[in-house]
Amino acid sequence: MPDVTSTDNSALARLRAALPEAFDGERVDWESLRALLGAPEPYGLRWPGRDAAIAEAEAPARGRLLEDAAASWCADSAEHRFYVGDNLDVLKCLRPELEGRVRVIYIDPPYNTGQGIQAYADNFRMGRRAYLRLSGQEADGEADGRRHAQWLSALLPRLRALKPLLRQDGVIFVSIDDREVHHLRLLMNEVFGAENFVASVIWRKKVVRGRGARHVLPQTEYVLVYARHLPSLPAFSEPLTESMVAEYRHADDQGPYKLIPLAKSGTSHSPRPNLVYPIAAPDGSEIPCPTHQWRWSRETLAANRDEVVFKQTRKGKWAVYTKQRLVVDGKDRERTPTSYYDRVTTTDGTAELKRLFGRVVLDFPKPSQLIKDLITWATPGGPEADDLILDCYAGSCATAQAVFELNAEDGGQRRFVGVQLAEALGDPEWPTIAEVGLERMRRVLARLGDRAENVGFRVWRLEDS
């Protein structure tokens, strides 16, 4: 919605003369004006300051990137990068080089909690006068808009700056909690397209017992997942759990397998005719399809008889099973991830940072294992893995640790690109969040030693032009 106070007075006077019914006293009634002009009702998320946020997204970068050799680590062989400065301006500076090259983006933006978490600017409530001036509305009912408008205005240009950096088969993961997840979903629908929505992953971030909330104890956050172009995004997969691997308790000369029924589970009002037929049992009797259809056609069954196992029940009835192999084409079978994630918590994130630094230097860091799992969902592993992984809200650099450790585990060549503002912490040893992130990278790489691939990183700082 435009700012009435910035509108040219003569233009406003001409509008009042032509359409007096579009005014409510001294204020433009935008709904009435839209109806008078026959403008279609727009669909989407609107808020005071939106137009200014779009203008900020389209403005050129303020500043330039200068390398900080003193802060870099093993720079001669480094392929990882870290940028200190406002992430919007840094992303604008990086666009010519990184456009269409990033495979995975993970970000953990401010949640708009209304509180300051150490140095994080996590209170985006707009001043009352500023909000009323931008929105043109009366005082009644403006509190909720004030709470969210500035947060939306901060996120919109940054999401718009991130999108062109993604490859066609790229994906973005965004952490958020209940306060803004509904707004973020609409915002990402606008920027990335609702048709590119992949999933909303529920993360059980902590296990809470006892008291702590009047009605419901909060235990979860979300990770919203969007593709750059969903048809180009490969299927997600991850290794089987130990308990799943244990189910492959049979073996033959081709390796471990487990038995699964050939009869398809469930029911169907329209079974496929080629999947409904009797099967000859070992004793010559016929086995009718016990449910609505088999999983294999006659032709597939005939071509894979060695993969079929018949078992007779105590009542003399026959059941038909197929062998599901643990290893397929030389690779271990994997599974599709689920939308509920409960492997690590915020406590794990705090503990791993404490192990590195000897004390808690930053509140509520994301556990690196969460980010490792997200990366492995979306990208292939192994020595050929050389994807760019970007985090423009790098914080303490949990994403960097995830990339370094994945490379050490599978010999990959993934490259980390991080951006973090030098927000003051008030800690004499680690004065800014950016310094914590840089030191974490140094300590993780030093700990990995010879197992680390791409063992160094280079640092740039955003400076005024």
Side-chain angles (χ1 to χ4, degrees):
M1 186 177 294
D3 181 356
V4 176
T5 61
S6 66
T7 305
D8 182 81
N9 288 334
S10 61
L12 198 60
R14 292 196 301 272
L15 178 62
R16 182 189 295 275
L19 297 170
E21 59 269 45
F23 284 78
D24 181 7
E26 296 298 316
R27 183 174 65 88
V28 175
D29 185 337
W30 297 104
E31 297 301 322
S32 297
L33 180 60
R34 184 179 294 111
L36 289 166
L37 295 176
E41 185 69 21
Y43 176 79
L45 188 59
R46 309 291 300 178
W47 68 91
R50 174 188 167 85
D51 292 340
I54 293 174
E56 184 179 12
E58 296 172 351
R62 297 181 293 267
R64 58 176 179 165
L65 297 172
L66 298 178
E67 187 165 2
D68 184 348
S72 300
W73 174 270
C74 299
D76 291 342
S77 59
E79 292 193 32
H80 306 297
R81 310 181 193 181
F82 191 81
Y83 299 88
V84 181
D86 179 86
N87 54 13
L88 180 57
D89 290 314
V90 172
L91 292 172
K92 290 177 179 179
C93 291
L94 292 178
R95 179 168 178 173
E97 179 185 358
L98 296 185
E99 186 167 4
R101 295 185 58 206
V102 177
R103 183 69 178 271
V104 175
I105 295 173
Y106 171 80
I107 59 172
D108 182 21
Y111 284 8
N112 200 10
T113 63
Q115 305 172 13
I117 300 177
Q118 289 186 341
Y120 284 108
D122 204 27
N123 185 352
F124 287 84
R125 183 185 291 271
M126 188 182 296
R128 184 170 179 274
R129 290 183 180 178
Y131 180 82
L132 292 176
R133 175 176 59 79
L134 276 174
S135 65
Q137 71 181 55
E138 301 299 332
D140 294 341
E142 44 78 32
D144 196 55
R146 288 171 54 205
R147 182 178 301 112
H148 302 292
Q150 277 192 305
W151 184 86
L152 289 165
S153 290
L155 263 290
L156 176 60
R158 286 159 176 83
L159 291 174
R160 288 176 61 133
L162 286 168
K163 180 183 177 180
L165 305 186
L166 279 174
R167 291 169 29 167
Q168 281 294 101
D169 60 352
V171 64
I172 179 170
F173 299 94
V174 185
S175 284
I176 199 67
D177 73 0
D178 290 315
R179 296 174 181 87
E180 297 289 359
V181 64
H182 47 301
H183 289 137
L184 181 61
R185 178 78 178 267
L186 290 173
L187 198 61
M188 295 191 71
N189 280 351
E190 175 183 329
V191 175
F192 291 91
E195 70 278 7
N196 291 314
F197 172 73
V198 177
S200 176
V201 178
I202 300 172
W203 171 40
R204 190 180 186 187
K205 66 174 181 177
K206 60 183 177 180
V207 179
V208 181
R209 297 180 178 87
R211 303 178 64 85
R214 184 177 179 185
H215 300 108
V216 177
L217 292 170
Q219 293 190 336
T220 58
E221 289 184 6
Y222 305 88
V223 181
L224 296 187
V225 189
Y226 280 76
R228 173 68 191 270
H229 180 241
L230 188 59
S232 302
L233 183 67
F236 285 3
S237 64
E238 64 179 352
L240 301 181
T241 65
E242 291 183 4
S243 62
M244 290 176 178
V245 172
E247 294 175 2
Y248 293 80
R249 57 181 179 272
H250 306 287
D252 58 17
D253 57 356
Q254 296 184 48
Y257 65 87
K258 72 176 181 179
L259 296 177
I260 59 175
L262 181 62
K264 195 167 185 178
S265 60
T267 58
S268 174
H269 296 296
S270 56
R272 291 168 54 186
N274 67 323
L275 299 180
V276 181
Y277 56 91
I279 295 177
D283 61 2
S285 62
E286 284 191 342
I287 307 171
C289 184
T291 60
H292 62 288
Q293 62 186 31
W294 302 109
R295 288 186 295 105
W296 290 358
S297 67
R298 291 177 187 267
E299 294 75 19
T300 302
L301 179 66
N304 294 275
R305 294 295 295 192
D306 292 342
E307 297 298 299
V308 177
V309 175
F310 294 89
K311 288 192 173 185
Q312 200 166 20
T313 68
R314 292 180 180 178
K315 295 182 179 181
K317 292 185 176 182
W318 288 97
V320 189
Y321 298 87
T322 63
K323 298 177 182 179
Q324 185 182 86
R325 300 286 177 181
L326 178 60
V327 180
V328 180
D329 295 330
K331 296 182 179 179
D332 287 350
R333 183 179 293 276
E334 295 191 320
R335 66 166 183 163
T336 301
T338 68
S339 62
Y340 181 71
Y341 183 94
D342 63 350
R343 298 172 197 165
V344 288
T345 67
T346 53
T347 301
D348 296 302
T350 300
E352 70 177 350
L353 199 58
K354 188 175 181 179
R355 285 194 296 271
L356 284 168
F357 286 85
R359 62 184 177 91
V360 176
V361 294
L362 199 66
D363 291 335
F364 310 120
K366 288 293 185 293
S368 62
Q369 185 62 51
L370 166 66
I371 305 170
K372 285 173 69 175
D373 287 337
L374 297 177
I375 294 172
T376 56
W377 287 4
T379 63
E384 303 302 317
D386 62 351
D387 297 308
L388 280 176
I389 314 296
L390 170 65
D391 183 349
C392 69
Y393 288 91
S396 65
C397 284
T399 302
Q401 180 171 344
V403 171
F404 298 163
E405 291 180 351
L406 279 174
N407 284 345
E409 291 166 9
D410 66 8
Q413 303 290 323
R414 302 169 188 85
R415 289 153 292 158
F416 169 71
V417 180
V419 186
Q420 177 57 46
L421 189 64
E423 296 176 283
L425 283 175
D427 186 313
E429 189 173 8
W430 312 111
T432 69
I433 295 177
E435 293 301 323
V436 171
L438 286 167
E439 183 62 20
R440 181 177 192 166
M441 289 195 291
R442 296 184 190 104
R443 295 188 181 201
V444 170
L445 288 172
R447 186 188 65 187
L448 293 173
D450 293 339
R451 294 189 297 129
E453 300 287 339
N454 302 333
V455 295
F457 58 85
R458 297 169 67 184
V459 180
W460 284 262
R461 296 183 185 273
L462 184 71
E463 304 290 349
D464 292 337
S465 296

